[in-house]
């Protein structure tokens, strides 16, 4: 393909000049982070409200729990196509519309009189969440200069990490104090306010000129993107296979009671935010090194759980290590993808979002089947093995080398 290299390399000078001369829009970066916080908080909100929602809708907790799977699977299916469908619109307008859909989805959830209506609301949330994630992951170069892209990407993904820490506990507290529907009304109002703020603050951000359905194919043909997606799939599947069932695991290994488990999850979440900010700037310089370290850390931590998480202190230390290592996975794997395909950044980011969400569902499903048949120890050991595969794959591949392989 002698003509393909010039096509991919030709935008580089313009892109490079633009990256050095662009005005840094840090308020816009903060709003993008706020949008990722809201969509992830909305996705996970039912976790702490299963019982009251089920009581009001006259459904079992297991049935209400399906609302999480619905959102994740819809996001995985639609994320690659939202940037394509909206390619004629600038990213500022697209994000504003998506956040208004997030607001509508949460309002409909709050008003839902039945599980069928709730499911429709969660489908809307899945579509909008996939779109927000796919666009947010690729916007840093449009908002800040090249020297600040790493920090901007880290801040963007901090919304995901902070939502994991504060989203479910805050929703649970609001639900207990004022009712579960108020928690979703709160999310709806917050999404609306973010959309209004975006209208006032975000600069015009044109879509990538080459963005099309073919862009997804071209991005996926990139060896670095394929490896990055495979690493993402392995480590996210491993994490959620274990994390979804961490409560019964801690009860079995260390005999912890619910209040202590809540503290463990808080420790995990706080260290996850720290891990995000440590990994982000480092991944910009060397995504390979960071991804290898993080996947190895997750693998070792999960492997130690069955044999070492036998007391309150050791369980707390392992939860802290788990949060620290996994907290940087989102930003580092996304940086891997971005460096592998800088010209097709939006398309590659959309594929990454789809795989990330599909892996959440796969991990939770597989972990549940393993847990029911073989117990908590087997769940953690198999998850550790899957994370080890991610480490080995990252060790023997490099996104920058793969990019050159594609363009030469």
């Amino acid at each position: 393909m002698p003509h393909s290299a010039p096509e991919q390399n030709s935008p580089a000078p313009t892109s490079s000049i633009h990256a050095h001369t662009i005005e840094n829009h840090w308020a816009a970066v903060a709003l993008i982070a706020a949008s990722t916080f809201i969509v992830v908080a909305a996705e996970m909100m039912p976790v702490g409200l299963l019982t009251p929602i089920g009581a009001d809708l006259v459904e079992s907790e297991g049935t209400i729990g399906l609302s999480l799977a619905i959102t994740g699977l819809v996001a995985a299916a639609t994320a690659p196509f939202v940037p394509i469908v909206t390619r004629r619109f600038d990213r500022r307008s697209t994000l504003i519309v998506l956040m208004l859909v997030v607001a509508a989805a949460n309002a409909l959830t709050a008003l839902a009189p039945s599980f069928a209506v709730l499911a429709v609301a969660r489908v809307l949330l899945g579509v909008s969440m996939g779109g927000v994630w796919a666009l947010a992951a690729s916007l840093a170069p449009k908002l800040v200069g090249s020297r600040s892209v790493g920090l901007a990407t880290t801040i963007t993904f901090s919304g995901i990490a902070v939502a994991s820490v504060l989203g479910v506990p805050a929703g649970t507290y609001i639900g207990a104090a004022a009712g579960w529907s108020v928690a979703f009304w709160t999310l709806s109002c917050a999404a609306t306010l973010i959309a209004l703020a975006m209208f006032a603050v975000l600069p015009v951000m044109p879509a990538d000129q080459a963005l099309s359905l073919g862009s997804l194919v071209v991005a996926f043909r990139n060896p670095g993107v394929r490896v990055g997606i495979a690493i993402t799939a392995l480590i996210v599947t491993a994490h959620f296979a274990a994390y979804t069932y961490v409560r019964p695991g801690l009860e079995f290994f260390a005999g912890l009671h619910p209040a202590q488990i809540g503290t463990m999850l808080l420790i995990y979440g706080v260290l996850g935010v720290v891990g995000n900010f440590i990994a982000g700037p480092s991944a910009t310089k060397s995504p390979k090194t960071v991804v290898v370290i993080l996947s190895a850390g997750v693998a070792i931590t999960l492997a130690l759980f069955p044999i070492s998480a036998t007391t309150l202190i050791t369980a707390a230390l392992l939860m802290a290590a788990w949060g620290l290592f996994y907290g940087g996975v989102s930003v580092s794997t996304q940086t891997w993808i971005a460096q592998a395909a800088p010209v097709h950044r939006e398309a590659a980011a959309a594929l990454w979002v789809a795989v990330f969400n599909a892996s959440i569902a796969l991990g939770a499903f597989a972990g549940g089947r393993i847990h029911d048949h073989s117990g908590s120890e087997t769940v953690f050991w198999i998850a550790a093995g899957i994370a080890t595969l991610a480490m080995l794959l990252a060790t023997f591949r490099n996104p920058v080398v793969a990019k050159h392989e594609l363009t030469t």
Side-chain angles (χ1 to χ4, degrees):
M1 304 192 327
H3 61 285
S4 61
E7 286 179 359
Q8 291 201 10
N9 289 331
S10 59
T14 302
S15 175
S16 177
I17 294 171
H18 177 69
H20 285 287
T21 59
I22 188 173
E23 177 186 354
N24 287 337
H25 297 280
W26 290 112
V29 172
L31 278 176
I32 303 299
S35 70
T36 62
F37 171 87
I38 290 297
V39 296
V40 173
E43 178 186 22
M44 303 302 296
M45 189 64 69
V47 170
L49 301 170
L50 291 180
T51 300
I53 296 175
D56 281 1
L57 301 186
V58 195
E59 298 284 356
S60 69
E61 293 179 359
T63 299
I64 301 301
L66 292 174
S67 62
L68 276 79
I70 291 171
T71 303
L73 291 175
V74 170
T78 59
F81 304 104
V82 170
I84 306 300
V85 172
T86 61
R87 65 182 180 272
R88 296 184 183 277
F89 303 96
D90 76 274
R91 283 4 197 162
R92 173 178 177 269
S93 300
T94 303
L95 278 172
I96 291 171
V97 171
L98 287 172
M99 289 308 297
L100 291 175
V101 176
V102 171
N106 282 289
L108 184 59
T109 301
L111 294 169
S114 65
F115 180 75
V117 176
L118 176 67
V120 171
R122 300 295 287 184
V123 167
L124 285 176
L125 179 64
V127 172
S128 54
M129 183 183 81
V132 169
W133 265 47
L135 296 181
S138 65
L139 290 180
K142 298 178 184 291
L143 294 173
V144 297
S146 59
R147 295 181 179 179
S148 302
V149 166
L151 178 58
T153 302
T154 302
I155 293 173
T156 296
F157 280 97
S158 71
I160 299 171
V162 174
S164 301
V165 180
L166 300 179
V168 173
T172 304
Y173 176 79
I174 294 172
W180 66 268
S181 63
V182 176
F184 288 98
W185 279 120
T186 301
L187 287 170
S188 180
C189 292
T192 302
L193 290 175
I194 290 173
L196 293 174
M198 285 178 168
F199 181 80
V201 172
L202 260 59
V204 173
M205 296 177 287
D208 290 350
Q209 292 182 354
L211 195 65
S212 65
L213 190 59
S215 299
L216 296 176
V217 177
V218 173
F220 186 73
R221 285 177 178 171
N222 184 310
V225 171
R226 290 202 301 271
V227 172
I229 285 175
I231 293 169
T232 301
L234 288 169
I235 196 168
V236 173
T237 298
H239 168 76
F240 278 93
Y243 185 71
T244 306
Y245 302 95
V246 67
R247 175 168 178 165
L250 289 173
E251 290 173 341
F252 178 74
F253 301 140
L256 302 186
H257 55 71
Q260 291 173 323
I261 291 173
T263 302
M264 296 296 104
L265 294 175
L266 180 61
I267 291 171
Y268 163 88
V270 171
L271 268 295
V273 175
V274 174
N276 176 79
F277 279 95
I278 292 176
S282 301
T284 302
K285 300 175 182 177
S286 179
K288 175 189 175 74
T289 300
V290 174
V291 170
V292 169
I293 291 173
L294 295 182
S295 53
V298 170
I300 293 170
T301 303
L302 295 179
L304 287 174
F305 254 87
I307 57 177
S308 299
T310 55
T311 68
L312 181 65
I313 293 177
T314 56
L317 290 174
L318 286 171
M319 289 297 290
W322 191 359
L324 185 66
F325 288 120
Y326 186 76
V329 165
S330 295
V331 66
S332 61
T333 53
Q334 172 54 32
T335 300
W336 178 300
I337 296 289
Q339 291 193 9
V343 176
H344 297 284
R345 192 180 181 107
E346 279 194 3
L351 291 173
W352 175 84
V353 172
V355 170
F356 198 103
N357 281 279
S359 300
I360 291 174
L362 175 61
F365 176 80
R369 304 292 73 74
I370 297 168
H371 182 272
D372 289 347
H373 286 88
S374 304
S376 295
E377 289 182 345
T378 305
V379 170
F380 277 82
W381 280 330
I382 290 179
I386 297 172
T388 300
L389 293 177
M391 178 199 69
L392 293 173
L393 188 57
T395 299
F396 294 106
R397 295 297 297 182
N398 188 300
V400 176
V401 171
K403 179 184 71 174
H404 291 319
E405 289 174 359
L406 182 69
T407 57
T408 54

